[in-house]
Amino acid sequence: LSDVDCCVFHPNSNYVATGSSDRTVRLWDVLTGNHVRLMTGHKGPIHSLAFSIDGRYLASGASDNRVLIWDLAHGHLIASLDGHTSTIHSLCFSRDGTVLATGALDYNLKLWDFSKLCEDLSGENVNVSHNPDVRSGDGYLLRTFPTKQSPFITLHFTRRNLLYGVGMFEAS
């Protein structure tokens, strides 16, 4: 085990997910304290986590510049959203669950079509013995919003589905 860098509660509050410097994502049972899933795939420390609105998926962002999407029912990696060029510090699902926003130290905010990813997965037979193909994020990127010199530290969707982004200006 390594230092825990981020944690987030599952929507039903029965589980908590942690991201660590040892490049692992763990899902813990809150009542027993036991970990129920160990997910590996990042090549750097994990800095951000977010559960999908329905609680079926977990997004993780790390210093390897990738967002990985995990199916929690089986612990499978189902998608890798590439496109950032620096550490991803913030992940946030829209209130309706259709968009995943990612913010990184590369001064970019990216919006991903999560509903399309879920539609593509719905036709695939995923079970314990069959690890699904990992989808590439190329077809799911909706838009990139660059800033001049403000890396994103945190993102938040309001109840009215407005996205707030917080960053800090870095003078050159």
Side-chain angles (χ1 to χ4, degrees):
L1 294 174
S2 183
D3 290 340
V4 172
D5 296 318
C6 57
C7 65
V8 63
F9 273 93
H10 188 273
N12 70 13
S13 299
N14 291 331
Y15 301 98
V16 65
T18 60
S20 303
S21 298
D22 64 1
R23 304 180 312 256
T24 62
V25 176
R26 296 174 191 264
L27 187 66
W28 301 86
D29 185 308
V30 172
L31 297 176
T32 65
N34 296 326
H35 81 269
V36 293
R37 292 275 183 265
L38 173 66
M39 295 164 278
T40 59
H42 280 291
K43 294 176 175 67
I46 290 111
H47 293 282
S48 55
L49 297 168
F51 282 103
S52 63
I53 300 303
D54 62 6
R56 293 180 56 199
Y57 304 102
L58 176 68
S60 59
S63 61
D64 62 1
N65 311 338
R66 297 184 308 155
V67 176
L68 300 183
I69 308 293
W70 306 92
D71 170 25
L72 292 178
H74 302 103
H76 295 309
L77 174 64
I78 57 172
S80 177
L81 307 178
D82 304 324
H84 284 288
T85 58
S86 189
T87 301
I88 296 158
H89 264 280
S90 186
L91 302 169
C92 188
F93 284 94
S94 62
R95 292 291 176 147
D96 61 2
T98 60
V99 174
L100 172 63
T102 61
L105 298 182
D106 63 0
Y107 315 129
N108 287 302
L109 164 70
K110 293 185 182 289
L111 300 179
W112 305 89
D113 190 346
F114 192 71
S115 60
K116 182 179 177 188
L117 176 62
C118 290
E119 285 174 19
D120 291 350
L121 292 170
S122 66
E124 192 169 310
N125 183 18
V126 178
N127 56 47
V128 175
S129 63
H130 171 68
N131 198 2
D133 294 330
V134 176
R135 303 221 185 292
S136 171
D138 298 338
Y140 304 109
L141 182 62
L142 293 171
R143 182 134 186 223
T144 299
F145 296 95
T147 66
K148 290 186 178 180
Q149 286 185 298
S150 298
F152 286 92
I153 303 302
T154 189
L155 299 170
H156 176 75
F157 275 98
T158 68
R159 291 183 184 191
R160 294 189 178 189
N161 235 12
L162 298 173
L163 178 63
Y164 288 119
V166 177
M168 57 185 180
F169 177 73
E170 291 185 352
S172 51

